[in-house]
Amino acid sequence: MSEAAVTTADTVAPPEKKVGLVKAAGILGILGGIALIVVGIVVWVMVSTQLQAENIVVPDDAAAFQGQTVSGPFTAYVQADIIQHHALEMSDGKTYAQLDREDPVRATLMNASFLRSSLFTSVVSFGVAAFAMGVGVLSILFGWAIFRLASIPVIVRRATVTS
């Protein structure tokens, strides 16, 4: 009497649940990521172009980027900083709110404040654009991972086979 040989074999079965919605979510994640990257780039270029059109040059006494045209977040920040430095020099260290209403320097400090606010707004815009691009990259990666996981065509189960 011979004993039957016991072996294991892999069997392939189709997925038990539909994964179409999961695949669609992955594709939407990828498309949304691409859109975020494109919008981020468009905003970055638009803000940079508008700053360059103003022809603002960082002065020689700034902390960095001396002589460069303001066109990005770092040059805009440095320009805002040097504007504040010059304004405080003119007012003997007093801010706009600390000056007497009749002080002729007050109007200059008000303009300096407006310029700084505008430059800081552009710095924030660059930050939001960079954030959107970063989230876009993550969205593409997550969407790709979800799509790949949902695209696994089979489930492998171990079965015992006797011969």
Side-chain angles (χ1 to χ4, degrees):
M1 181 166 157
S2 90
E3 288 186 29
V6 178
T7 59
T8 58
D10 292 338
T11 58
V12 177
E16 294 175 7
K17 295 182 179 182
K18 301 288 183 193
V19 292
L21 185 60
V22 177
K23 284 184 179 182
I27 290 170
L28 286 174
I30 292 169
L31 294 175
I34 291 168
L36 282 167
I37 291 170
V38 169
V39 168
I41 290 170
V42 167
V43 168
W44 188 284
V45 169
M46 184 181 71
V47 173
S48 180
T49 302
Q50 292 297 315
L51 278 174
Q52 286 176 352
E54 295 295 324
N55 292 317
I56 303 167
V57 177
V58 179
D60 291 336
D61 60 341
F65 308 110
Q66 298 88 356
Q68 292 185 21
T69 301
V70 175
S71 62
F74 300 114
T75 53
Y77 182 83
V78 167
Q79 182 65 28
D81 183 58
I82 197 65
I83 287 172
Q84 180 186 31
H85 175 75
H86 289 166
L88 291 174
E89 248 180 18
M90 290 177 65
S91 66
D92 295 324
K94 292 182 180 176
T95 64
Y96 169 80
Q98 293 170 327
L99 289 174
D100 184 63
R101 290 183 190 269
E102 304 303 320
D103 193 327
V105 176
R106 195 164 197 249
T108 303
L109 261 75
M110 181 176 62
N111 286 337
S113 179
F114 291 154
L115 288 171
R116 290 184 71 233
S117 295
S118 296
L119 288 166
F120 283 136
T121 300
S122 69
V123 171
V124 170
S125 297
F126 282 117
V128 170
F131 180 76
M133 290 184 278
V135 170
V137 169
L138 286 175
S139 181
I140 289 170
L141 291 173
F142 292 152
W144 178 79
I146 290 169
F147 183 81
R148 292 281 293 153
L149 287 172
S151 297
I152 297 173
V154 294
I155 299 171
V156 178
R157 296 187 181 132
R158 287 274 178 204
T160 303
V161 179
T162 58
S163 47

